[in-house]
Amino acid sequence: MRILFMGTPDISAECLKALYAAGHDICAVYTRRDKPVGRKQILTAPPVKQVAMEHGTPVYQPRTLRDGGEDETIRNLNPDIIVVVAYGCILPAQILAMPKFGCINLHVSLLPKYRGSAPVQWSVLNGDAETGVSIMQMDEGLDTGDVLMCKRIAIGAEETSEELFDRVTAVGAQALCEILPLLEAGAITPEKQDHEHAMLAPMLTKDMAEFNFTQDAAHIHNWVRGMYSWPVAWFFKDEKRIKVQQCRVAENPTNAAPGTILSTRPLVVACGSGAVELCRVVPEGSKPMDGSAWAAGLRLKAGDSL
């Protein structure tokens, strides 16, 4: 199949690698523009561009596709299908209609659940037992197209968004390779999404990562898992942010008030319901450390309040 691939971050790069390995003809790659990265602000190519260049594939990096400036180029490339994975640009109607098999998109949730930019994170934040990947036929809406294939993925009780994302990426790349020959053979029956049950998964922000100990232990545990490795969940202590990279649900046998330290080895704190063990924390301005080491440094003891 002659494929025009559109994508930008790591998940896109892994999917592109899988398509090359499966022997598909990647006629060109569209990705976002190079960006300054790191403290020295070194201009760096997106992961997808790096993979494409390794294979000698033409790369295009327009600011937008909506102004019609790329229409002739894409038409001349004459792809059988456009495969989109986390590209970051909206495809207008005229481009969606160009390829013989249209445009398909890999979305990392079980649509219509978690439409939007952070579906993996929200599945963990909400304590879901499973998520998955969906491949849909693209239309002009936001993740609203007909679903062509779904694959379900169980979420581990202690699994972080970062860990889950790695597994979702692998399943998604495999699904793309599976669906292309089926599409070519006409062996796929599209299914309409139930739009009434759609849920959004908005982009995360640093402020959203805050939690407090009046919340349930299960909620805090999910928040810590879901916000890792960015932006990382945090709470205030003495007007400083204390990030929590890892925690576990614990018991509060004395029914102590939220925020009460139940023990320091390990560091266990009472919540609105239950308690959490703070396994690894990052005090503001410091490096990651064991929760007990942080408590010892502040001379905290059982009965103190956070």
Side-chain angles (χ1 to χ4, degrees):
M1 224 173 188
R2 184 172 171 83
I3 298 170
L4 172 56
F5 187 88
M6 296 182 175
T8 301
D10 289 334
I11 183 174
S12 314
E14 292 304 312
C15 290
L16 181 57
K17 289 177 185 177
L19 294 174
Y20 279 123
H24 291 288
D25 175 18
I26 312 297
C27 63
V29 164
Y30 272 71
T31 188
R32 301 304 297 271
R33 295 183 173 183
D34 298 5
K35 289 185 177 181
V37 174
R39 291 184 178 180
K40 295 185 178 180
Q41 292 291 282
I42 298 173
L43 196 63
T44 303
V48 159
K49 180 179 179 179
Q50 297 175 32
V51 173
M53 292 177 67
E54 290 171 3
H55 289 80
T57 302
V59 176
Y60 299 87
Q61 296 175 276
R63 182 185 62 82
T64 180
L65 299 178
R66 303 181 75 172
D67 61 4
E70 295 297 314
D71 290 6
E72 184 177 357
T73 299
I74 294 174
R75 195 175 290 110
N76 289 337
L77 286 169
N78 193 30
D80 294 321
I81 193 168
I82 295 177
V83 175
V84 181
V85 183
Y87 176 32
C89 282
I90 295 174
L91 275 63
Q94 70 270 17
I95 291 179
L96 292 173
M98 282 184 191
K100 176 182 178 181
F101 294 98
C103 305
I104 63 172
N105 172 257
L106 172 68
H107 188 74
V108 286
S109 78
L110 298 172
L111 290 170
K113 195 172 186 179
Y114 299 134
R115 294 173 178 171
S117 59
V120 171
Q121 293 92 325
W122 281 103
S123 67
V124 179
L125 290 168
N126 288 332
D128 294 351
E130 70 170 4
T131 185
V133 299
S134 302
I135 298 178
M136 66 175 177
Q137 194 80 47
M138 295 180 69
D139 59 19
E140 293 185 73
L142 174 64
D143 302 328
T144 56
D146 293 352
V147 175
L148 306 175
M149 176 183 286
C150 282
K151 288 186 177 290
R152 296 180 178 274
I153 302 168
I155 301 175
E158 302 294 332
E159 194 167 22
T160 66
S161 291
E162 183 175 74
E163 293 166 338
L164 179 59
F165 205 91
D166 288 343
R167 295 201 297 121
V168 166
T169 296
V171 173
Q174 178 187 4
L176 276 177
C177 293
E178 288 180 12
I179 201 168
L180 289 170
L182 296 175
L183 281 172
E184 194 170 23
I188 293 289
T189 302
E191 293 187 11
K192 298 286 184 183
Q193 292 189 42
D194 183 355
H195 301 299
E196 291 185 0
H197 289 87
M199 291 178 60
L200 295 181
M203 186 180 299
L204 303 184
T205 66
K206 291 182 179 179
D207 287 343
M208 289 168 56
E210 182 182 10
F211 70 88
N212 65 76
F213 293 105
T214 63
Q215 297 167 322
D216 292 347
H219 170 85
I220 294 172
H221 181 236
N222 293 335
W223 220 245
V224 170
R225 295 189 302 128
M227 293 290 178
Y228 190 81
S229 61
W230 192 93
V232 184
W234 57 273
F235 65 94
F236 270 125
K237 168 64 176 171
D238 296 333
E239 299 184 353
K240 292 186 177 181
R241 292 190 183 194
I242 311 301
K243 294 181 178 179
V244 181
Q245 294 183 330
Q246 183 184 8
C247 74
R248 298 189 186 96
V249 174
E251 294 183 354
N252 181 4
T254 63
N255 202 27
T260 302
I261 295 176
L262 303 179
S263 71
T264 57
R265 292 183 178 275
L267 178 57
V268 179
V269 183
C271 303
S273 174
V276 289
E277 176 188 342
L278 303 183
C279 304
R280 189 171 65 245
V281 303
V282 187
E284 191 170 322
S286 299
K287 296 180 179 180
M289 63 180 68
D290 184 85
S292 295
W294 173 69
L298 293 180
R299 298 184 178 180
L300 296 173
K301 60 185 183 301
D304 290 345
S305 182
L306 292 183

